[in-house]
Amino acid sequence: MTSSAFPKLSEPLGLFGGTFDPVHFGHLRLAEESIAHLGLGGVRWIPAGQPPHRGVPQVTAQQRLEMVRLAMANNARFSLDPSEVEAEAPSYTVHTLERLRRELGPQQSLVLLVGADAFAGLATWHRWRDIFALAHVAVSHRPGFPVEISSLPHELASEFTDRRRADVSGLKASPAGGIVTFAMTQLAISATQIRKLLANELSARYLLPDSVLDYIQTHSLYRNS
Ligand code: ATP
């Protein structure tokens, strides 16, 4: 028994995956507000590798990673995990969680952060039920995507009912298995909207950090031609 082999982390660790194509203030506020709402020690951002179905990418996974790096600059509570971007094959969330479990040990509380739209699709994820053995799931409200049992597919609704915890302090008491919801500042910003604006040569300022916008302009990303 060598619990000391693992880093001592008493506070739950937030894990925030996404395509971040590009990262925007909706993502940043979700990560920032989750720390206080859920009592997290920090948030590890995990940009996804290139999804196989997207065809020829307009923006590479490395560029999406770089934009997240720029966006999180100077926030000591944020860290960046490049493993999915650097993996040769597309990685599923459950595999990433298994790797983090091995890295951080069985006691560390892990909290997978998802927006309400992503949560509604959870039952389509690879080995989705196994996720609850590896992490808690925290669902943030997002404009246009109410977190309501009636709008969830049946099998996810029943997991939600069984696992839901009203009190976020439960996230610290166990390493995995609960579902909580939290209300964040509602920002109707999406990466889709930003890509459309940029493709039409319209301003995307104040929807995402200037540093990210500068990177997009320098590298001529998200242009139609
Ligand atoms: P796209 O428009 O390309 O689908 P997106 O803006 O939804 O992208 P993703 O990278 O797909 O961004 O999202 C990563 C995570 O952040 C998901 O869990 C998603 O639900 C959440 N999220 C994204 N934007 C917001 C927002 N404005 N408010 C709350 N959660 C958000």
Side-chain angles (χ1 to χ4, degrees):
M1 233 289 293
T2 57
S3 58
S4 57
F6 297 110
K8 176 108 186 71
L9 285 168
S10 54
E11 291 164 308
L13 175 66
L15 306 171
F16 189 29
T19 42
F20 306 124
D21 188 19
V23 61
H24 55 67
F25 285 134
H27 301 131
L28 286 157
R29 286 305 302 181
L30 186 158
E32 179 74 357
E33 294 187 28
S34 71
I35 291 174
H37 281 310
L38 307 176
L40 306 180
V43 172
R44 194 184 280 214
W45 292 62
I46 314 172
Q50 206 61 43
H53 57 271
R54 282 214 177 179
V56 180
Q58 210 192 357
V59 172
T60 66
Q62 282 295 345
Q63 287 172 324
R64 289 187 289 101
L65 179 73
E66 196 49 39
M67 289 189 277
V68 174
R69 198 191 307 280
L70 289 168
M72 67 167 52
N74 302 323
N75 189 328
R77 298 261 193 179
F78 290 167
S79 60
L80 184 57
D81 186 333
S83 58
E84 290 196 8
V85 165
E86 288 170 359
E88 295 195 351
S91 5
Y92 294 105
T93 297
V94 69
H95 296 151
T96 298
L97 292 175
E98 285 171 337
R99 178 180 54 78
L100 291 171
R101 241 323 136 217
R102 284 194 296 275
E103 183 188 320
L104 300 169
Q107 303 302 330
Q108 171 65 50
S109 172
L110 298 176
V111 184
L112 185 67
L113 305 172
V114 290
D117 57 311
F119 181 69
L122 193 81
T124 66
W125 294 15
H126 182 58
R127 289 176 45 207
W128 69 279
R129 287 182 198 276
D130 293 345
I131 287 174
F132 298 113
L134 294 159
H136 300 291
V137 176
V139 188
S140 79
H141 294 247
R142 182 174 187 181
F145 301 95
V147 190
E148 283 165 2
I149 292 194
S150 58
S151 59
L152 297 175
H154 175 70
E155 46 188 0
L156 182 59
S158 81
E159 290 285 350
F160 187 58
T161 308
D162 294 348
R163 297 180 175 281
R164 186 160 190 194
R165 298 189 185 158
D167 184 357
V168 296
S169 64
L171 298 178
K172 197 170 175 177
S174 62
I179 300 177
V180 297
T181 60
F182 69 102
M184 57 171 282
T185 304
Q186 294 294 274
L187 297 166
I189 303 174
S190 71
T192 303
Q193 171 201 14
I194 292 170
R195 291 194 301 272
K196 275 190 195 148
L197 288 169
L198 295 169
N200 290 304
E201 292 177 37
L202 295 169
S203 168
R205 273 188 95 185
Y206 313 124
L207 297 173
L208 69 175
D210 283 346
S211 56
V212 177
L213 204 47
D214 287 348
Y215 183 92
I216 288 170
Q217 275 154 6
T218 304
H219 294 85
S220 307
L221 306 180
Y222 304 112
R223 294 209 181 150
N224 252 339
S225 50

